[in-house]
Amino acid sequence: MRPPHRVWAEIDLAALRHNLARIRRAAGRRQVWPVLKANAYGHGAVAVARTCAAAGAPRLGVGDSGEALDLREGGIETPLLVLGTVIDAEVPALLRHRVEVGVHSESRVRMLGAAARRAGVRLGVHLKIDTGMGRLGVRPEAAVRVARAVAEEPALELRGVMTHYASPDGCLDPATAEQTEVFRRALAEIAAAGLSLPPIHAANSAVLFTAGEPFGDAVRPGIALYGILPSGLPGAAKLRPVLSLRAQIVFLKDVPAGTPVGYGGRWRSTGSKTRLAVLPIGYNDGLPYRLGAEGRGAALVRGRRCPIVGAISMDYCTIDVSRVEGVQVGDVATLVGGDGDERIRVQEVAEAAGTIPYEITCSLGARVRRIPVDRTEPAAAGPAAAAAAFLGA
Ligand SMILES: *Cc1c(COP(=O)(O)O)cnc(C)c1O
């Protein structure tokens, strides 16, 4: 039977739980606060949040108040933290849905305090200190002032002090230790000013997997949850990829040598008979344009690797299936994930497209159906099993 979707992403919840367990082991006594911003890095935030909440995650990180709202509407009651900042128009939703937010200036503290008082609620905030990222966050020398402003505002409650690391290499980069040192000094000043310290949180995935003892009381892993670590970092092999991206073949045809394919005709067939398959997935769905333009992409069909040929369009791309025996319309093509003995990893796609894995998963388009798959048998993996899972479920 042909799959019921043109293009879909299978989200392997068993792999997610496996990765959470690995993360917990690396975190030791620290709390693990999974990061689900950007729709859980493109994986679909509600299903990921449910899995994390069921595994006991005490807090989840999101990117903005809209994402927090989506989780509340999806029935997630776990404390939520907007990791960055919010604009004024988002504040009523934060207050209504008990969503915490990072603060990094006295004026922000006053504004949030006034809004919380008017609403008659107490708003949880996390003081964000810039220790070297150079983006959001109060400068370390001003941290005490902002911490005091929070302490003096009865409608605000300081629930965390945080910083964010800049290096993709975690503790393998000396800049990370320097940031920790700046953070430590700022925390010591806050304590010396007689202000009580709430939970301290700093480590992202890269730091968590490279530090013997990550600094702080809680860690905020994102990419590792999804089974990905920036390449070369220790621990990557022990994580399991959560995402598979698949499409079904919608058209097949045989073309003679010299046939141009796609916009600009930048690729031409060479063999005397080339079999082309059209897939209903394009750059709008998150397949990077550069994969086609530079002839670097591939898809798996019936366990064989097939090159993407010609430019990737908005809605479609074309692959060369000449070497696939018995290929048919309706066959599953895997752009990310495993099929038989072959596997295409997100890291591989990112490298081929000249970007980072984060951008690949976050760019999955709205048309891509996210299908949570909860298979406990790893042996059952693969497009056929997945198709059976959502047809039979
Ligand atoms: C995205 C994010 C994280 C998670 O980073 P990963 O590299 O995906 O582990 C942690 N903290 C903050 C503030 C973030 O924005």
Side-chain angles (χ1 to χ4, degrees):
M1 197 193 300
R2 291 179 185 173
H5 304 295
R6 296 162 67 95
V7 50
W8 69 97
E10 289 154 27
I11 308 304
D12 184 344
L13 300 180
L16 179 63
R17 281 193 297 271
H18 167 89
N19 297 337
L20 256 176
R22 283 275 160 195
I23 287 167
R24 282 219 171 108
R25 208 172 306 165
R29 58 169 177 79
R30 294 158 198 82
Q31 285 195 355
V32 173
W33 299 353
V35 174
L36 273 58
K37 64 182 190 255
N39 195 24
Y41 291 38
H43 292 66
V46 172
V48 171
R50 277 196 193 128
T51 303
C52 292
R59 180 177 269 106
L60 303 171
V62 296
D64 67 10
S65 62
E67 292 188 340
L69 195 68
D70 289 345
L71 290 184
R72 289 287 185 248
E73 278 174 0
I76 305 298
E77 298 291 335
T78 309
L80 300 175
L81 163 63
V82 174
L83 291 162
T85 189
V86 293
I87 61 166
D88 294 2
E90 295 178 272
V91 173
L94 289 187
L95 296 169
R96 228 177 11 256
H97 296 284
R98 309 171 315 287
V99 178
E100 303 165 357
V101 63
V103 291
H104 42 78
S105 74
E106 282 173 280
S107 65
R108 212 66 203 144
V109 167
R110 278 194 296 273
M111 180 273 189
L112 290 170
R117 262 181 277 131
R118 274 198 306 277
V121 300
R122 199 137 192 260
L123 178 65
V125 297
H126 295 245
L127 173 60
K128 189 163 196 177
I129 304 178
D130 175 15
T131 58
M133 178 77 168
R135 197 181 57 179
L136 290 169
V138 61
R139 299 275 310 159
E141 57 274 15
V144 173
R145 250 193 300 122
V146 180
R148 187 172 287 123
V150 174
E152 287 168 356
E153 174 50 75
L156 298 184
E157 183 181 331
L158 192 62
R159 303 231 176 108
V161 179
M162 67 191 287
T163 194
H164 192 37
Y165 292 107
S167 174
D169 300 322
C171 298
L172 304 183
D173 185 338
T176 296
E178 287 163 26
Q179 281 195 254
T180 302
E181 200 39 47
V182 173
F183 193 38
R184 256 184 225 283
R185 280 200 300 270
L187 293 168
E189 282 177 31
I190 293 171
L195 299 163
S196 63
L197 282 177
I200 307 301
H201 51 106
N204 56 11
S205 301
V207 169
L208 179 59
F209 281 90
T210 51
E213 287 282 313
F215 184 70
D217 309 304
V219 298
R220 304 186 311 264
I223 197 84
L225 276 179
Y226 310 103
I228 302 164
L229 273 183
S231 58
L233 288 189
K238 294 187 174 145
L239 300 172
R240 275 167 50 189
V242 173
L243 171 78
S244 299
L245 177 62
R246 308 195 204 266
Q248 65 170 304
I249 293 176
V250 290
F251 187 55
L252 282 170
K253 72 179 156 192
D254 295 333
V255 299
T259 305
V261 172
Y263 286 113
R266 271 179 287 180
W267 184 88
R268 278 171 193 270
S269 56
T270 50
S272 63
K273 190 184 104 177
T274 299
R275 181 159 291 177
L276 299 177
V278 179
L279 306 179
I281 178 170
Y283 55 78
N284 177 59
D285 304 296
L287 195 64
Y289 177 76
R290 287 182 64 182
L291 285 186
E294 299 177 17
R296 295 170 165 190
L300 308 177
V301 178
R302 296 185 180 232
R304 298 206 73 143
R305 203 169 259 267
C306 306
I308 294 176
V309 296
I312 288 166
S313 324
M314 193 180 289
D315 299 343
Y316 292 97
C317 71
T318 305
I319 58 176
D320 180 346
V321 292
S322 304
R323 296 189 320 129
V324 185
E325 261 175 57
V327 62
Q328 287 178 13
V329 167
D331 277 1
V332 175
T334 298
L335 287 306
V336 171
D339 182 1
D341 297 333
E342 282 276 3
R343 170 167 285 280
I344 297 177
R345 291 184 176 273
V346 172
Q347 293 92 320
E348 179 192 331
V349 178
E351 249 166 63
T355 183
I356 53 175
Y358 298 76
E359 190 181 30
I360 300 295
T361 67
C362 286
S363 301
L364 288 184
R367 293 190 299 209
V368 179
R369 279 285 295 272
R370 272 71 166 177
I371 302 184
V373 179
D374 207 345
R375 53 173 102 84
T376 39
E377 280 290 307
F390 62 66
L391 288 170

